[in-house]
Amino acid sequence: MTTKVLDESKPLSSAFAPLATNQLFSARHSEAYWQQATRCIDLVRRKVAQVDRPFTGARPEELRGLFQAVDLDAPLGSLEPALQELSRLYLDDAVYFHHPRYVAHLNCPVVLPGILAEAILSPINSSLDTWDQSAGGTFVEQSLIDWTAARIGLGQDADGVFTSGGTQSNLMALMIARDHYGASLEGHGGNKHEGLSADFRRLRILGSEVSHFSLQKSAAILGLGYQAVMPVACDDHYRMSPESLKTRLEECVAMNLIPIAVVATAGTTDFGSIDPLEEVAALCREHGIWLHVDAAYGGGLLCSRRYRHRLAGIEHADSVTIDYHKTFFQPVSCSAFLVRRRSDLRHVTYHADYLNPRCQAEAGTPDQVNKSLQTTKRFDALKPWLTLRIMGADALGEMFERVIDLASEVHDELVRHPDFEVLLDPPMSTVVFRYRPASLQEVERHEPERHETELDELNTHVRSTLSRNGEAVIAATRVGGRLYLKFTLLNPDTSLKDLVAIIERISHHGQAWCDAQTPTRAVAS
Ligand SMILES: *Cc1c(COP(=O)(O)O)cnc(C)c1O
């Protein structure tokens, strides 16, 4: 066991007293604030100008050593050396989402108004839990909620709150659906007061087999367990099959189970597929079940004139998840949870005398904490606010449209290529495919199992090589147990030419892998 001993030769905090108060954001230090903020912005500006690849390919074991050498109890005392250190530890090997060849996850490049809003909201540091900590900030958030609800078509009684992300929004949805059911039970005083009702093991949440894993996580957190999530089969296009949903609901009745929510996904994480919202909504209405629409990915369609119709039916939802930090091009975090009936948000309300007393709510004070799982909460709503005030929704919609169109173009390119297998026509901006060279056809014919295993290894190799070389960062997923590669397109600056170049590199590394295998294959056969 080692005990950390204070080094007497190092100055203790008293020696830093002047520096410490110098670092407070206040009128007294507005000049230092300006100079140092400018310095940071300049650092980022210069870095971005230099970045020539999305990632350097650094491995965790390579970076870990650099971090171990840093003693957090030995401050550097000023900005310059700290920035130099940070460049080395972080910026030099960061993953750059703005780079056209970053096409991996649902991370977007961000628009300037969103970044500028961060420059305003951080120093002022409003907390959006109560009116008395945010004032106008609360109305900015409420305006964004009202604007989003109106675009969805949730009606006059809709309400909602900003959240940390789609995961938290989905958790809220399922919690409220669970408590909405609890509130309907005779002789049960509600989950909030009494905990789960005696029948809690019979509660079920239905989502398609490719819905987001936050459903499972939420079910566990909510005391229902993973077992409560019932997967519903999809059609060939990875959309929830209404027939399967119908069968599942009938099974619930037959097995004395209680479906409390159906989660339809508008833009699945893996494929971008949109569940048939109208048909799912009709089944929910018929069975009196809560419909949550997880539009974390597809939400950006709300701004698109050309593709808004793909969300038709979303207006029937009881609740909706929207991630502005995906398809609205906003910095992380920026997300919302919305409900059709504002009174449903009462399930998350708790009145604390020191913060949000009941009398304050009755007097009409708008305290967002009454609708939120969080207490202290970032003023994230300022980011889409400034974006809408400067650029407007159409401009965002056009950026999303561009990547949707790009997905079709690269799909056509891959389909024409003899060495690639494409899984489906891209429903949004995701293209799922794998390298499957014609040269392996012999193996495929004679040993189909070995062929599949080889393809998995081959595609895994190609993906990690691209990343290691910094040529491109692409995603992977498993479909039917097999490894597929994925372009998740969110950067309107990515061109077809960039993607064709990546495809060329995939072929190159794939071919090299096959060539290296040939001797072993010859020995094996
Ligand atoms: C990204 C995503 C989520 C989770 O959102 P976070 O903001 O990452 O928490 C939920 N559902 C879907 C469909 C998503 O694509």
Side-chain angles (χ1 to χ4, degrees), residues 106 165-167 170 212 265 267 269 294 296 323 325-326:
L106 278 167
T167 302
N170 284 349
H212 194 260
T265 311
T269 316
D294 177 359
D323 256 358
H325 62 213
K326 285 181 179 164

PDB file of all heavy atoms in Angstrom, residues 106 165-167 170 212 265 267 269 294 296 323 325-326, ligand 1:
ATOM      1  N   LEU A 106     -23.170   8.103 -34.795  1.00  0.00           N
ATOM      2  CA  LEU A 106     -24.135   9.187 -34.996  1.00  0.00           C
ATOM      3  C   LEU A 106     -23.642  10.497 -34.376  1.00  0.00           C
ATOM      4  O   LEU A 106     -24.356  11.148 -33.633  1.00  0.00           O
ATOM      5  CB  LEU A 106     -25.484   8.790 -34.382  1.00  0.00           C
ATOM      6  CG  LEU A 106     -26.348   7.896 -35.267  1.00  0.00           C
ATOM      7  CD1 LEU A 106     -27.495   7.288 -34.475  1.00  0.00           C
ATOM      8  CD2 LEU A 106     -26.922   8.700 -36.431  1.00  0.00           C
ATOM      9  N   GLY A 165     -29.612  13.443 -23.176  1.00  0.00           N
ATOM     10  CA  GLY A 165     -29.462  12.653 -24.395  1.00  0.00           C
ATOM     11  C   GLY A 165     -30.660  11.737 -24.596  1.00  0.00           C
ATOM     12  O   GLY A 165     -31.574  11.677 -23.761  1.00  0.00           O
ATOM     13  N   GLY A 166     -30.613  11.006 -25.697  1.00  0.00           N
ATOM     14  CA  GLY A 166     -31.708  10.105 -26.021  1.00  0.00           C
ATOM     15  C   GLY A 166     -31.898   9.014 -24.975  1.00  0.00           C
ATOM     16  O   GLY A 166     -33.020   8.555 -24.737  1.00  0.00           O
ATOM     17  N   THR A 167     -30.811   8.608 -24.358  1.00  0.00           N
ATOM     18  CA  THR A 167     -30.899   7.562 -23.340  1.00  0.00           C
ATOM     19  C   THR A 167     -31.757   8.043 -22.168  1.00  0.00           C
ATOM     20  O   THR A 167     -32.651   7.325 -21.701  1.00  0.00           O
ATOM     21  CB  THR A 167     -29.476   7.194 -22.869  1.00  0.00           C
ATOM     22  OG1 THR A 167     -28.728   6.775 -24.019  1.00  0.00           O
ATOM     23  CG2 THR A 167     -29.490   6.089 -21.842  1.00  0.00           C
ATOM     24  N   ASN A 170     -35.411   8.361 -23.289  1.00  0.00           N
ATOM     25  CA  ASN A 170     -36.100   7.067 -23.348  1.00  0.00           C
ATOM     26  C   ASN A 170     -36.398   6.541 -21.946  1.00  0.00           C
ATOM     27  O   ASN A 170     -37.466   5.946 -21.708  1.00  0.00           O
ATOM     28  CB  ASN A 170     -35.255   6.048 -24.124  1.00  0.00           C
ATOM     29  CG  ASN A 170     -35.320   6.281 -25.626  1.00  0.00           C
ATOM     30  OD1 ASN A 170     -36.138   7.065 -26.107  1.00  0.00           O
ATOM     31  ND2 ASN A 170     -34.462   5.613 -26.371  1.00  0.00           N
ATOM     32  N   HIS A 212     -33.132   0.710 -29.759  1.00  0.00           N
ATOM     33  CA  HIS A 212     -31.909   1.114 -29.039  1.00  0.00           C
ATOM     34  C   HIS A 212     -31.768   0.388 -27.704  1.00  0.00           C
ATOM     35  O   HIS A 212     -32.758   0.145 -27.011  1.00  0.00           O
ATOM     36  CB  HIS A 212     -31.946   2.628 -28.811  1.00  0.00           C
ATOM     37  CG  HIS A 212     -30.633   3.199 -28.389  1.00  0.00           C
ATOM     38  ND1 HIS A 212     -30.340   3.500 -27.084  1.00  0.00           N
ATOM     39  CD2 HIS A 212     -29.529   3.503 -29.115  1.00  0.00           C
ATOM     40  CE1 HIS A 212     -29.117   3.995 -27.013  1.00  0.00           C
ATOM     41  NE2 HIS A 212     -28.599   4.010 -28.226  1.00  0.00           N
ATOM     42  N   THR A 265     -39.293   3.159 -33.321  1.00  0.00           N
ATOM     43  CA  THR A 265     -38.063   3.905 -33.577  1.00  0.00           C
ATOM     44  C   THR A 265     -38.165   4.625 -34.915  1.00  0.00           C
ATOM     45  O   THR A 265     -38.477   4.001 -35.934  1.00  0.00           O
ATOM     46  CB  THR A 265     -36.851   2.960 -33.584  1.00  0.00           C
ATOM     47  OG1 THR A 265     -36.914   2.129 -32.414  1.00  0.00           O
ATOM     48  CG2 THR A 265     -35.547   3.731 -33.562  1.00  0.00           C
ATOM     49  N   GLY A 267     -35.826   5.997 -37.073  1.00  0.00           N
ATOM     50  CA  GLY A 267     -34.392   6.076 -37.353  1.00  0.00           C
ATOM     51  C   GLY A 267     -33.642   5.146 -36.422  1.00  0.00           C
ATOM     52  O   GLY A 267     -33.176   5.566 -35.367  1.00  0.00           O
ATOM     53  N   THR A 269     -30.619   3.032 -34.913  1.00  0.00           N
ATOM     54  CA  THR A 269     -29.212   3.399 -34.810  1.00  0.00           C
ATOM     55  C   THR A 269     -28.381   2.670 -35.866  1.00  0.00           C
ATOM     56  O   THR A 269     -27.492   3.245 -36.466  1.00  0.00           O
ATOM     57  CB  THR A 269     -28.712   3.051 -33.400  1.00  0.00           C
ATOM     58  OG1 THR A 269     -29.709   3.492 -32.477  1.00  0.00           O
ATOM     59  CG2 THR A 269     -27.395   3.711 -33.092  1.00  0.00           C
ATOM     60  N   ASP A 294     -39.119   6.927 -30.481  1.00  0.00           N
ATOM     61  CA  ASP A 294     -37.715   7.265 -30.287  1.00  0.00           C
ATOM     62  C   ASP A 294     -37.192   7.829 -31.607  1.00  0.00           C
ATOM     63  O   ASP A 294     -36.817   7.084 -32.513  1.00  0.00           O
ATOM     64  CB  ASP A 294     -36.934   6.004 -29.863  1.00  0.00           C
ATOM     65  CG  ASP A 294     -35.439   6.276 -29.719  1.00  0.00           C
ATOM     66  OD1 ASP A 294     -35.009   7.419 -29.967  1.00  0.00           O
ATOM     67  OD2 ASP A 294     -34.714   5.326 -29.339  1.00  0.00           O
ATOM     68  N   ALA A 296     -34.548   9.827 -31.855  1.00  0.00           N
ATOM     69  CA  ALA A 296     -33.225  10.373 -31.534  1.00  0.00           C
ATOM     70  C   ALA A 296     -32.442  10.643 -32.818  1.00  0.00           C
ATOM     71  O   ALA A 296     -31.775  11.667 -32.937  1.00  0.00           O
ATOM     72  CB  ALA A 296     -32.455   9.401 -30.641  1.00  0.00           C
ATOM     73  N   ASP A 323     -33.043  14.068 -30.369  1.00  0.00           N
ATOM     74  CA  ASP A 323     -31.637  14.377 -30.064  1.00  0.00           C
ATOM     75  C   ASP A 323     -31.158  15.491 -30.988  1.00  0.00           C
ATOM     76  O   ASP A 323     -30.838  15.238 -32.147  1.00  0.00           O
ATOM     77  CB  ASP A 323     -30.754  13.132 -30.304  1.00  0.00           C
ATOM     78  CG  ASP A 323     -30.335  12.445 -29.014  1.00  0.00           C
ATOM     79  OD1 ASP A 323     -30.684  12.937 -27.932  1.00  0.00           O
ATOM     80  OD2 ASP A 323     -29.652  11.408 -29.116  1.00  0.00           O
ATOM     81  N   HIS A 325     -28.405  16.793 -30.682  1.00  0.00           N
ATOM     82  CA  HIS A 325     -26.966  16.590 -30.898  1.00  0.00           C
ATOM     83  C   HIS A 325     -26.669  15.491 -31.919  1.00  0.00           C
ATOM     84  O   HIS A 325     -25.531  15.058 -32.064  1.00  0.00           O
ATOM     85  CB  HIS A 325     -26.198  16.382 -29.579  1.00  0.00           C
ATOM     86  CG  HIS A 325     -26.580  15.190 -28.756  1.00  0.00           C
ATOM     87  ND1 HIS A 325     -26.542  15.185 -27.387  1.00  0.00           N
ATOM     88  CD2 HIS A 325     -27.000  13.951 -29.106  1.00  0.00           C
ATOM     89  CE1 HIS A 325     -26.905  14.005 -26.934  1.00  0.00           C
ATOM     90  NE2 HIS A 325     -27.183  13.235 -27.956  1.00  0.00           N
ATOM     91  N   LYS A 326     -27.697  15.062 -32.648  1.00  0.00           N
ATOM     92  CA  LYS A 326     -27.444  14.172 -33.780  1.00  0.00           C
ATOM     93  C   LYS A 326     -27.786  14.898 -35.087  1.00  0.00           C
ATOM     94  O   LYS A 326     -26.908  15.385 -35.753  1.00  0.00           O
ATOM     95  CB  LYS A 326     -28.226  12.875 -33.625  1.00  0.00           C
ATOM     96  CG  LYS A 326     -27.602  11.963 -32.568  1.00  0.00           C
ATOM     97  CD  LYS A 326     -28.340  10.674 -32.407  1.00  0.00           C
ATOM     98  CE  LYS A 326     -27.660   9.787 -31.365  1.00  0.00           C
ATOM     99  NZ  LYS A 326     -28.569   8.703 -30.935  1.00  0.00           N
TER     100      LYS A 326
HETATM  101  C1  LIG B   1     -28.392   7.635 -30.237  1.00  0.00           C
HETATM  102  C2  LIG B   1     -29.681   6.969 -29.951  1.00  0.00           C
HETATM  103  C3  LIG B   1     -30.197   6.923 -28.658  1.00  0.00           C
HETATM  104  C4  LIG B   1     -29.394   7.371 -27.460  1.00  0.00           C
HETATM  105  O1  LIG B   1     -29.172   8.727 -27.463  1.00  0.00           O
HETATM  106  P1  LIG B   1     -27.941   9.352 -26.642  1.00  0.00           P
HETATM  107  O2  LIG B   1     -28.110  10.796 -26.948  1.00  0.00           O
HETATM  108  O3  LIG B   1     -26.699   8.756 -27.205  1.00  0.00           O
HETATM  109  O4  LIG B   1     -28.150   9.026 -25.214  1.00  0.00           O
HETATM  110  C5  LIG B   1     -31.450   6.387 -28.473  1.00  0.00           C
HETATM  111  N1  LIG B   1     -32.151   5.908 -29.513  1.00  0.00           N
HETATM  112  C6  LIG B   1     -31.682   5.906 -30.764  1.00  0.00           C
HETATM  113  C7  LIG B   1     -32.516   5.340 -31.870  1.00  0.00           C
HETATM  114  C8  LIG B   1     -30.419   6.439 -31.032  1.00  0.00           C
HETATM  115  O5  LIG B   1     -29.937   6.423 -32.283  1.00  0.00           O
END
